[in-house]
Amino acid sequence: MRFHSTRNAGETATLSEALARGIAPDGGLYVPDSFPRFSVSDFDGLDGIAAVAPRFLAPLFAGDPLESQLPAIVAEAFDFPVPVKPLPVAHDASVLELFHGPTAAFKDFGARFLAACMARIPRPSGRTLTILVATSGDTGGAVAAAFHGRPGMEVVVLFPRGLVSPRQELQLTCWGGNVRSLSVAGTFDDCQRLVKAAFADPALSAHRELSSANSINIGRLLPQACYYVATSLAGYRRTGQKVNFIVPSGNLGNVLAAVWARKMGLPIGELVLTFNANRTVPDFLDSGVWAPRPSVATLASAMDVGNPSNMERLRHLHPEHAELLAAVRATSVSDAAIEARIRTDRTALGETWCPHTACAAETYALLSEEDKAKGPWILVGTAHPAKFPETVEPLVGHPIPVPDSLAKLLSLPRSVTEVPATLEALAAVLQ
Ligand SMILES: *Cc1c(COP(=O)(O)O)cnc(C)c1O
């Protein structure tokens, strides 16, 4: 399989090249040249993400130097539980808990898989590989955790100062060693812009190998598709019906993986994207006019994205607006509705949601009876509520127990550099 840029089908790369580059040389995002087609029976006898992943990813890794390493990469990356928990509601609905990895958010899937791949890609130059990552809160911690201590690689994390939760900030700044954390005077969109500018700057990339671990990197999307494969197969085998997902969305990396899995023939029905007050995508679906704008701060801060980069991949797949409308729906949830939903479902369902997962729960609650009866619905749980105690604890009225792996990180000393949101400042750190 080869991969090409969303901006030019002639700009191609092997999987290893696409992983190492992050972004294509023309500024586009890598997509597969063709989508392999699967049927449910291709996965007979395989159950769970670690079992289905090698089968699903095989055609995408075919012909690449990493092909023979795929089983080892999967085993290394997917070594934590991925429970699907039925909810006590009238229809068939469950929550897919993607937050049992080392940093308690779904970003661990992509980050661990990408690190496992990058560690196995031969780099003849012998130069240090610098991974640049802009984060709205969870990506940076997951990437730092996945790359920390790996020889020949360093990580530079950019996060928006004051706009991530205190516990997320601890996770971003607790590493030291080959991880440097930059607290940027700006928003997530500024951080993302700086990373893109660094890649485009010939002077910066002349002296080092730069790569990105943001969801523009296809190495993040492929592992995320695997939990949609496993979950849709399990739901389909149980009910004979396609499985519908509600996905808390920001940069669209998570839901794009689901769109691709469905495109490849997995039994996935509806995909509902749920956003916070950052309405760029819902407004686009309504109006047909793409109008990115500055992000606004919300309780679901990891979704505070005003110019979602993976929209480029989604529109590449569905260039016609009508086609896009048939492929996905979108909702937007206010902070007040997030708070009310966390409070309500604590009592009604016995579930404690993080503010992002609460957007999915709110969207589910507002579905029509007809929609709810359409077969199994999966609410995608993107982070553990213990990452957001300042928001969640007052609403549920009790302290939230912290998972062990998270508690360990929170107790480490901090190291962080404050920088303005300029390329000069980032360049100075990199020199
Ligand atoms: C990153 C993140 C999201 C948004 O995911 P995208 O892939 O950017 O759409 C939602 N919830 C949490 C907890 C996140 O960390």
Side-chain angles (χ1 to χ4, degrees):
M1 176 69 69
R2 288 190 68 84
F3 296 80
H4 65 266
S5 166
T6 44
R7 298 190 186 169
N8 175 2
E11 180 65 63
T12 69
T14 65
L15 178 62
S16 292
E17 286 163 350
L19 293 174
R21 287 180 197 155
I23 196 161
D26 62 0
L29 309 187
Y30 284 112
V31 296
D33 274 357
S34 64
F35 286 95
R37 284 294 298 182
F38 293 98
S39 59
V40 170
S41 61
D42 291 331
F43 297 92
D44 281 352
L46 301 177
D47 201 15
I49 182 169
V52 301
R55 173 78 49 93
F56 175 74
L57 295 173
L60 294 153
F61 274 63
D64 191 81
L66 286 176
E67 183 175 9
S68 64
Q69 315 251 20
L70 179 57
I73 292 167
V74 165
E76 185 184 317
F78 300 150
D79 66 344
F80 52 88
V82 193
V84 180
K85 219 168 127 185
L87 294 172
V89 292
H91 295 90
D92 187 335
S94 313
V95 55
L96 169 62
E97 294 189 351
L98 299 177
F99 47 73
H100 297 286
T103 67
F106 83 89
K107 305 295 199 303
D108 283 322
F109 288 90
R112 291 173 63 72
F113 188 89
L114 186 62
C117 288
M118 289 218 185
R120 290 171 172 83
I121 297 176
R123 289 204 317 284
S125 79
R127 290 188 300 176
T128 298
L129 177 67
T130 302
I131 312 279
L132 282 182
V133 56
T135 185
S136 58
D138 289 324
T139 293
V143 169
F147 284 88
H148 187 236
R150 289 191 187 257
M153 304 189 214
E154 60 168 5
V155 174
V156 177
V157 179
L158 293 82
F159 68 92
R161 188 176 316 153
L163 298 179
V164 302
S165 85
R167 279 199 182 154
Q168 285 177 322
E169 179 157 346
L170 284 171
Q171 282 189 321
L172 293 169
T173 57
C174 69
W175 301 100
N178 65 336
V179 176
R180 277 181 292 170
S181 305
L182 306 184
S183 166
V184 176
T187 63
F188 169 67
D189 294 312
D190 292 318
C191 296
Q192 192 154 262
R193 177 176 53 77
L194 286 178
V195 169
K196 285 187 180 160
F199 279 104
D201 186 329
L204 281 180
S205 42
H207 298 294
R208 72 199 65 249
E209 277 185 57
L210 278 183
S211 187
S212 161
N214 275 104
S215 56
I216 53 177
N217 195 311
I218 193 159
R220 293 260 311 266
L221 300 178
L222 301 181
Q224 289 169 189
C226 296
Y227 49 73
Y228 290 106
V229 174
T231 309
S232 65
L233 286 169
Y236 184 80
R237 288 169 182 156
R238 180 170 61 79
T239 64
Q241 290 175 296
K242 288 187 179 176
V243 177
N244 311 295
F245 291 89
I246 305 177
V247 188
S249 296
N251 238 336
L252 304 182
N254 198 353
V255 77
L256 193 86
V259 170
W260 281 6
R262 183 174 64 184
K263 171 97 183 151
M264 295 187 213
L266 273 299
I268 296 172
E270 290 235 26
L271 292 173
V272 181
L273 293 59
T274 177
F275 295 84
N276 55 28
N278 289 279
R279 297 190 43 99
T280 305
V281 175
D283 288 348
F284 171 59
L285 294 182
D286 285 347
S287 68
V289 179
W290 180 240
R293 62 203 75 158
S295 54
V296 297
T298 75
L299 294 175
S301 56
M303 293 153 53
D304 290 348
V305 182
N307 186 8
S309 45
N310 275 298
M311 196 64 196
E312 184 159 337
R313 285 193 172 107
L314 193 56
R315 293 175 76 182
H316 184 262
L317 189 62
H318 298 298
E320 296 300 328
H321 196 65
E323 210 184 307
L324 187 60
L325 290 180
V328 297
R329 285 198 263 168
T331 65
S332 163
V333 179
S334 69
D335 275 359
I338 289 172
E339 290 183 322
R341 180 52 52 192
I342 292 173
R343 211 182 267 125
T344 303
D345 283 357
R346 172 69 217 139
T347 317
L349 307 181
E351 286 293 329
T352 301
W353 308 125
C354 88
H356 314 81
T357 310
C359 295
E362 174 71 0
T363 296
Y364 178 74
L366 296 180
L367 287 180
S368 67
E369 286 297 303
E370 192 192 340
D371 275 338
K372 285 182 180 167
K374 262 182 190 165
W377 281 88
I378 304 279
L379 286 55
V380 176
T382 50
H384 194 288
K387 286 188 97 162
F388 309 92
E390 9 348 77
T391 303
V392 180
E393 289 182 354
L395 297 170
V396 298
H398 60 79
I400 300 166
V402 180
D404 289 346
S405 55
L406 188 55
K408 209 163 57 194
L409 299 184
L410 299 180
S411 68
L412 297 172
R414 305 182 47 187
S415 73
V416 62
T417 307
E418 300 201 343
V419 295
T422 63
L423 184 59
E424 293 71 45
L426 176 58
V429 169
L430 290 176
Q431 296 314 335

